[in-house]
Amino acid sequence: VRKGDASAWLVEELNRRIDRFTYRPHTVNQLPSTTWAKPPYFSNADEQGNLNDIVASAINGEHTYALGVELAEARFKVKFEGAESEPEAS
């Protein structure tokens, strides 16, 4: 990997995304398909999911967050939505 080549961009982008979604999870609602997101945020910082999106971004020439972050956010909401409002067993 040399500074400025495609491999360097991939590694730098992966580090940027992991940093962003680990330390600023609320920024997930700034992505194109997750403007609906609200706390608590899942904001997946999974390396493999983000790497897959970065490879897709490199291929299609546009930033993609679909599988690494946006789908994970939606799955988290579906799985846990309403968990706080369900009645406790007595």
Side-chain angles (χ1 to χ4, degrees), residues 23-57:
Y23 299 109
R24 293 174 303 286
H26 62 280
T27 65
V28 73
N29 69 0
Q30 297 170 2
L31 300 178
S33 297
T34 50
T35 55
W36 52 265
K38 61 184 183 203
Y41 299 106
F42 179 68
S43 191
N44 189 27
D46 170 63
E47 295 89 353
Q48 186 61 57
N50 278 295
L51 181 59
N52 294 345
D53 280 349
I54 293 166
V55 170
S57 297

Side-chain angles (χ1 to χ4, degrees), residues 7-85:
S7 299
W9 174 82
L10 190 139
V11 172
E12 290 165 359
E13 182 66 10
L14 180 60
N15 286 332
R16 186 188 68 76
R17 290 184 187 204
I18 291 170
D19 178 74
R20 175 182 179 178
F21 298 120
T22 298
Y23 299 109
R24 293 174 303 286
H26 62 280
T27 65
V28 73
N29 69 0
Q30 297 170 2
L31 300 178
S33 297
T34 50
T35 55
W36 52 265
K38 61 184 183 203
Y41 299 106
F42 179 68
S43 191
N44 189 27
D46 170 63
E47 295 89 353
Q48 186 61 57
N50 278 295
L51 181 59
N52 294 345
D53 280 349
I54 293 166
V55 170
S57 297
I59 291 168
N60 71 20
E62 297 179 15
H63 286 280
T64 301
Y65 297 88
L67 297 174
V69 179
E70 292 176 323
L71 181 60
E73 186 74 20
R75 285 183 175 164
F76 174 78
K77 297 298 184 193
V78 168
K79 185 173 182 177
F80 295 105
E81 184 162 299
E84 299 92 28
S85 61

